[in-house]
Amino acid sequence: MPNRLSVFDISGRAMSAQLVRLNTTASNLANAGSISNTEAGAFRALKPVFRSVGSEPGIATVQVDRVIASTTPATRRHEPNHPLADKDGNVWEAGVDSTAEMVEMMEASRQYQNNVQVLETAKSLMLDTLRIGR
């Protein structure tokens, strides 16, 4: 990064990363319980992968490197009357743990709020500094 990162850059990028995390979690929860007629076609939870970005010691932010599918396997259920059942009467339910996704959503939401608080504090301190000069 050619320019020095400010507290606003760092928190803004962190908030952006947490927003990706919240969006993938919302997608996972929306697809929890979805059914497919094949194991390969069953939805897998999405997980963002972050990486640290920064060129100066002690000053870094985060960036979403990629979004990957979870390795949690789909669950096979025997439901011969389901319209998507295969020839053996099985359907495959999405590999999503709703409880873990809710915990993930709460954690991402709190981290987003923490960065909002950092921005509010930095803004307040800058305004107070400017008032001192009057």
Side-chain angles (χ1 to χ4, degrees):
M1 296 195 165
N3 297 343
R4 190 176 172 133
L5 292 171
S6 73
V7 68
F8 299 105
D9 293 325
I10 294 169
S11 288
R13 291 175 190 198
M15 289 169 61
S16 192
Q18 293 307 320
L19 189 58
V20 170
R21 191 172 166 202
L22 284 167
N23 284 337
T24 56
T25 302
S27 176
N28 295 342
L29 287 170
N31 286 289
S34 64
I35 301 293
S36 176
N37 59 349
T38 64
E39 182 178 14
F43 181 82
R44 298 292 198 279
L46 301 173
K47 302 291 180 194
V49 176
F50 301 110
R51 70 180 174 92
S52 180
V53 177
S55 59
E56 297 179 44
I59 300 176
T61 188
V62 68
Q63 179 177 337
V64 178
D65 194 35
R66 64 189 181 281
V67 177
I68 60 171
S70 171
T71 57
T72 304
T75 306
R76 182 177 65 187
R77 290 194 331 227
H78 185 70
E79 290 189 28
N81 296 328
H82 195 284
L84 291 178
D86 62 12
K87 63 180 177 15
D88 299 324
N90 296 319
V91 293
W92 298 88
E93 187 174 352
V96 176
D97 181 353
S98 295
T99 305
E101 293 300 326
M102 289 301 292
V103 170
E104 182 81 7
M105 183 177 281
M106 289 184 342
E107 184 179 311
S109 177
R110 286 183 181 143
Q111 289 184 13
Y112 186 92
Q113 278 301 113
N114 287 343
N115 280 290
V116 168
Q117 187 64 45
V118 166
L119 288 175
E120 288 174 356
T121 301
K123 178 183 168 188
S124 175
L125 290 171
M126 288 180 79
L127 290 173
D128 289 347
T129 302
L130 289 172
R131 284 187 195 107
I132 290 172
R134 286 189 195 169

